[in-house]
Amino acid sequence: MDNVALSKLEQKTAVSLALVFGLRMLGLFMIMPVFAIYGRDLIGYSPLWVGIVIGAYGLTQAILQIPMGQLSDRIGRKPVIIAGLGLFCVGSIVAGMADSVYGVAFGRIIQGTGAVASAILALAADITREQQRPKVMAVIGMCIGLSFAFSLVAGPVLAQWIGLKGIFFVTAALAIVGMLVVHYIVPNSTTKAPAGDASTNSKKLRAMLRNPQLLRLDVGIFLLHLTLTAVFVSLPFELEAAGLVGEHHWWVYFPALLLSFVLMVPMLIIAAKKKMNKQFFLFSIALMGLALCVMGFASGSVWLFALAIVLYFTAFNFLEASLPAMISMSAPAGAKGSAMGIYSTSQFAGAFCGGIIAGSLYSQLGAQGLFFIIAAVMIVWFVISLGLENVGQVKAHTIAVTIANQREAELIAEKLISLSGINEAVVVLEEQVAYLKATKDFEIDQALNLVREQHRS
């Protein structure tokens, strides 16, 4: 039976790693709602460079996410996380000292080299029990969502008082706080999670790239973050043109985000209870497309933009919360680390491409043309997602086994798959573990008893 509550160590792990992740993402996100307005004094400023600056961090994040995770497998999680936060701090200082958009973009690229997301999630997997791992990941995910929401309010407010340079220096300070939290508060990894939970390898990566379900989800997170960065290339300009000065943009963002969370939570609950993940997923894509069309028609109207932002973030928050869970449930047994590695890379690649594409399109077509083109992209995403499977309530389990050779591994796997409720069983000789995917009501004691009997025989 699964333990109901997190242990004190797991609670400390969840809170401290969520804080580290949140501090880092807050620094990245705060620039998004303000750079288009407050970057005008920089040398070389243009809508294209607004897009490049906003999305630049995604390039190095996408390139380094998997290598940094693999490096943490070899030299340890905390050294990689601290080094990554140090690079993020350096990039923030470089951006804060720059007088041109080129210097700011270079600083954002350096920020992205601190690609520690995979190492943080791997450390969480190392320390927590398999049954409790989803709760820890949920706490981290919730903190990321809250940091994004807070950044949309904090960015405009701070920019009013300390300017764009000040925001970058605050971001550097947040990185230093994160390093202190990792060193003094985050628990050391005393146990090593199986590779399928925490890390990636080339064979599994190739297999993931051939999986149609996972590919559709990876395309989804790519397009989701492409639209996010694209929206913030033009939205600040449009709110300003509608008569709302930059320091007051949070008047729209804050209530819109609160309302979007209120609307999104029932969607998550109904989708889970009724096993309608696919239906709500498609509905959210359509809702996002509708929101972008409203933005296209909202020129000069703060109220229409407010409505569009509510619709957009209701859909965005649902998709952002659903996609990792769908990836986890769809990943083959023993391949969660590889699946999440590709997922994270796709996410940051989308952020980079969104900034570049939006900056170019805004320069040529203006905000209205940009919003309608992104809305058309949502139609493409909707069509691609029609082929998604409606994933049920699948739970992953990892149990230790003692096996001497491949024949014994195959024998235990055959017996495990015969148990009622087991959908997939993979036994890995090198890791001495069995990865199981089972229905929600499956009792793990069945598998544990079977393994014990096998050991005695």
Side-chain angles (χ1 to χ4, degrees):
M1 297 287 289
D2 288 353
N3 292 319
V4 175
L6 295 173
S7 68
K8 289 185 177 180
L9 177 64
E10 288 166 336
Q11 291 174 12
K12 184 178 181 181
T13 299
V15 172
S16 59
L17 288 179
L19 179 60
V20 173
F21 222 133
L23 289 170
R24 176 177 168 275
M25 298 310 290
L26 177 61
L28 279 174
F29 288 145
M30 277 198 298
I31 198 68
M32 292 179 66
V34 301
F35 186 77
I37 303 299
Y38 289 89
R40 286 172 173 157
D41 294 332
L42 293 170
I43 299 169
Y45 176 90
S46 71
L48 174 60
W49 277 97
V50 170
I52 292 173
V53 167
I54 289 178
Y57 77 93
L59 175 63
T60 39
Q61 284 278 319
I63 293 171
L64 295 176
Q65 200 62 238
I66 291 175
M68 290 285 274
Q70 292 174 329
L71 180 63
S72 76
D73 290 338
R74 293 195 293 270
I75 69 172
R77 312 299 188 200
K78 291 178 75 169
V80 168
I81 295 171
I82 291 173
L85 290 171
L87 288 169
F88 183 72
C89 178
V90 170
S92 302
I93 293 171
V94 169
M97 295 178 66
D99 294 320
S100 69
V101 290
Y102 321 116
V104 175
F106 181 61
R108 292 280 281 176
I109 289 172
I110 297 174
Q111 282 184 326
T113 62
V116 297
S118 55
I120 290 175
L121 295 178
L123 179 56
D126 289 347
I127 299 174
T128 57
R129 292 164 293 172
E130 190 277 331
Q131 297 91 339
Q132 301 304 321
R133 205 162 294 141
K135 298 177 184 177
V136 175
M137 298 301 183
V139 172
I140 294 173
M142 181 175 64
C143 191
I144 294 172
L146 290 174
S147 69
F148 175 71
F150 183 70
S151 71
L152 294 186
V153 177
V157 172
L158 286 175
Q160 178 184 2
W161 297 105
I162 60 177
L164 190 64
K165 291 180 179 291
I167 288 182
F168 282 118
F169 292 133
V170 167
T171 298
L174 292 175
I176 294 172
V177 173
M179 294 167 72
L180 294 174
V181 171
V182 173
H183 184 74
Y184 291 106
I185 301 178
V186 172
N188 291 306
S189 177
T190 54
T191 59
K192 181 71 176 71
D197 285 330
S199 64
T200 61
N201 65 57
S202 57
K203 289 183 180 179
K204 289 178 180 178
L205 286 173
R206 288 194 293 270
M208 298 302 97
L209 292 172
R210 294 192 294 267
N211 186 309
Q213 173 82 353
L214 292 175
L215 272 178
R216 289 186 176 94
L217 296 172
D218 292 331
V219 169
I221 193 62
F222 175 88
L223 294 177
L224 183 66
H225 281 260
L226 183 150
T227 65
L228 179 67
T229 52
V231 163
F232 280 100
V233 168
S234 56
L235 184 58
F237 290 132
E238 293 303 290
L239 289 175
E240 189 179 51
L244 196 64
V245 294
E247 56 265 30
H248 294 160
H249 285 188
W250 71 272
W251 291 359
V252 174
Y253 294 140
F254 183 63
L257 281 166
L258 285 180
L259 184 55
S260 71
F261 276 114
V262 171
L263 295 173
M264 177 269 293
V265 170
M267 292 169 59
L268 285 174
I269 294 172
I270 296 171
K273 285 188 175 181
K274 302 292 185 181
K275 297 183 179 180
M276 296 175 65
N277 295 289
K278 177 181 176 179
Q279 289 86 339
F280 275 91
F281 192 90
L282 292 171
F283 170 76
S284 296
I285 296 172
L287 184 62
M288 187 173 289
L290 174 62
L292 290 164
C293 288
V294 174
M295 290 183 191
F297 287 115
S299 181
S301 173
V302 172
W303 290 106
L304 273 180
F305 274 115
L307 171 63
I309 293 169
V310 170
L311 297 178
Y312 180 87
F313 279 108
T314 298
F316 177 89
N317 290 331
F318 178 86
L319 292 165
E320 184 81 350
S322 299
L323 276 162
M326 294 177 75
I327 285 279
S328 180
M329 287 188 282
S330 300
K336 191 187 302 179
S338 296
M340 292 306 296
I342 296 174
Y343 171 87
S344 296
T345 299
S346 301
Q347 175 182 354
F348 291 113
F352 171 69
C353 292
I356 300 296
I357 293 171
S360 178
L361 289 177
Y362 185 89
S363 299
Q364 299 176 42
L365 304 175
Q368 188 175 48
L370 173 61
F371 288 136
F372 286 134
I373 287 177
I374 304 173
V377 172
M378 295 300 96
I379 297 174
V380 175
W381 184 11
F382 186 92
V383 172
I384 292 172
S385 300
L386 288 172
L388 282 172
E389 299 172 9
N390 202 355
V391 291
Q393 295 300 303
V394 178
K395 294 190 70 176
H397 301 275
T398 306
I399 58 176
V401 296
T402 303
I403 45 180
N405 52 55
Q406 188 60 34
R407 175 58 190 154
E408 287 186 16
E410 293 171 358
L411 183 61
I412 291 180
E414 289 173 4
K415 291 184 176 181
L416 286 169
I417 200 66
S418 67
L419 293 175
S420 176
I422 294 286
N423 297 333
E424 188 178 355
V426 176
V427 180
V428 184
L429 173 62
E430 294 80 5
E431 299 175 22
Q432 295 288 295
V433 295
Y435 296 106
L436 310 177
K437 295 191 76 172
T439 56
K440 186 179 180 181
D441 55 357
F442 173 74
E443 296 288 348
I444 190 62
D445 286 345
Q446 298 178 57
L448 293 173
N449 291 334
L450 185 151
V451 170
R452 291 191 195 102
E453 291 173 6
Q454 181 68 23
H455 290 169
R456 287 195 293 266
S457 63

